[in-house]
Amino acid sequence: SLPAKLINGGIAGLIGVTCVFPIDLAKTRLQNQQNGQRMYTSLSDCLIKTIRSEGYFGMYRGAAVNLTLVTPEKAIKLAANDFFRHHLSKDGKKLTLLREMLAGCGAGTCQVIVTTPMEMLKIQLQDAGRIAAQKKLMAAQAHISSSPAAAAAEPAVETRPTATQITRELLRSKGIAGLYKGLGATLLRDVPFSIVYFPLFANLNKLGQKDPNVKAPFYVSFLSGCVAGSTAAVAVNPCDVIKTRLQSLQRGVNEDTYTGILDCTKKIWQREGPTAFFKGAYCRALVIAPLFGIAQVVYFVGIAEFLLDMLPKHRA
């Protein structure tokens, strides 16, 4: 049933995000740093420096936004894919690869309603620590070069905006369109991702089914979700880099600003080289693999069906 699908998708998203959010934070910071202003050299370096400067919970900056909105996002994505697959297979025939891709395309298009504002807010909170650390480093270097005594001065108190403050400011200055900055880039990432992910997952999952009418074992769904998720994540990573850069409202010292997808693509290619489009690719694969593996296990095991079946018995 649709309620069960929505609940399953929501539970899957909550569990997955909680497990992999620190890696997602590192991915955002690695993708946003530009040549000459690098604070981090790798995933581990980013996490270690984040813990040292911001504490353990610094790795979860922006997690509240993700945990709040990932439920409707994953629910829409998974339920929409099932909806389109169902309607595309009404003739009773097995879905062709093209129809599976069309179903994934529909799911990716539907999810951006929630994904765009969620990613917009999450990126600001995740990247705030990197920008603050960069400013402190630049200030310390300037003080040391000008006056050793000034370096010992007490640093200014750092204030970081909350998701609520960012939302209010965007709505006040730009209206609802402010929360949908980077919508085109989000579509450019999520639609191809879903086109690759859902058909690949469905076909991998079928390999573990002994009977077409019986669900595959949970570990098959988990591994299928991991493989399909990581493959799709790396494939669309260039679009994710562009989306992350466009949605970042604040820039570090001497970092580029962008007017749109084409301008962002051109500047990254010219100033950072083609390899810059794969910044954070391994982080994204590490995030997406378990996230979608867990999501598919929860979704296919059907926790919601169990809970909904128990309600009438509990009332009785």
Side-chain angles (χ1 to χ4, degrees):
S1 64
L2 182 59
K5 288 176 181 178
L6 295 177
I7 294 170
N8 279 333
I11 294 172
L14 289 172
I15 295 171
V17 166
T18 303
C19 294
V20 300
F21 193 83
I23 305 174
D24 186 62
L25 178 138
K27 181 218 68 153
T28 298
R29 294 187 177 185
L30 288 169
Q31 285 183 341
N32 262 336
Q33 65 180 5
Q34 300 178 23
N35 287 338
Q37 303 295 335
R38 295 179 181 273
M39 292 294 300
Y40 315 107
T41 58
S42 64
L43 167 64
S44 58
D45 181 57
C46 180
L47 293 179
I48 290 169
K49 287 179 178 176
T50 298
I51 293 172
R52 285 177 180 171
S53 61
E54 303 170 54
Y56 174 78
F57 290 105
M59 295 190 298
Y60 282 88
R61 282 189 58 82
V65 173
N66 231 26
L67 289 171
T68 302
L69 296 179
V70 76
T71 298
E73 186 217 25
K74 286 291 177 287
I76 290 171
K77 187 186 189 81
L78 296 172
N81 181 65
D82 271 6
F83 173 82
F84 288 116
R85 287 179 70 91
H86 172 71
H87 283 276
L88 287 168
S89 61
K90 273 191 171 180
D91 55 7
K93 296 179 181 178
K94 182 182 176 181
L95 278 176
T96 63
L97 179 60
L98 178 60
R99 289 193 175 191
E100 287 183 331
M101 293 171 70
L102 286 173
C105 178
T109 303
C110 290
Q111 78 168 85
V112 298
I113 298 169
V114 177
T115 303
T116 305
M118 179 185 76
E119 294 268 310
M120 175 73 178
L121 295 171
K122 182 191 72 171
I123 285 170
Q124 314 317 314
L125 298 171
Q126 286 182 328
D127 206 37
R130 179 188 71 89
I131 294 172
Q134 189 186 86
K135 287 180 179 178
K136 283 182 180 179
L137 180 63
M138 297 291 287
Q141 290 174 346
H143 287 160
I144 291 172
S145 61
S146 60
S147 171
E154 186 178 345
V157 178
E158 181 189 342
T159 57
R160 295 182 185 177
T162 63
T164 304
Q165 291 171 337
I166 295 170
T167 302
R168 286 175 180 171
E169 178 59 28
L170 286 171
L171 290 174
R172 185 190 63 80
S173 60
K174 299 181 180 179
I176 193 69
L179 290 173
Y180 281 86
K181 180 180 171 65
L183 174 62
T186 306
L187 279 167
L188 194 63
R189 180 197 70 173
D190 288 348
V191 171
F193 177 92
S194 295
I195 288 173
V196 173
Y197 172 77
F198 283 111
L200 183 56
F201 169 79
N203 286 282
L204 289 173
N205 199 55
K206 283 177 187 175
L207 296 176
Q209 290 179 276
K210 294 180 180 179
D211 187 321
N213 298 318
V214 179
K215 290 181 179 179
F218 78 92
Y219 62 87
V220 173
S221 293
F222 176 76
L223 291 174
S224 299
C226 288
V227 172
S230 58
T231 302
V234 173
V236 302
N237 196 75
C239 302
D240 189 55
V241 172
I242 294 167
K243 183 200 73 68
T244 301
R245 297 279 183 97
L246 289 175
Q247 287 188 320
S248 297
L249 299 176
Q250 294 186 353
R251 303 288 176 190
V253 180
N254 299 325
E255 290 185 344
D256 290 326
T257 57
Y258 312 103
T259 58
I261 295 173
L262 292 177
D263 179 59
C264 182
T265 304
K266 182 180 177 181
K267 286 180 178 176
I268 292 174
W269 182 277
Q270 291 178 342
R271 300 175 188 180
E272 300 175 60
T275 56
F277 290 105
F278 286 93
K279 282 184 177 180
Y282 65 98
C283 293
R284 184 163 161 74
L286 288 174
V287 168
I288 296 297
L291 180 61
F292 276 84
I294 293 167
Q296 292 294 2
V297 168
V298 174
Y299 196 67
F300 275 80
V301 166
I303 290 176
E305 286 89 340
F306 173 76
L307 294 175
L308 291 173
D309 286 344
M310 289 295 291
L311 284 175
K313 297 176 184 178
H314 179 71
R315 287 171 185 166

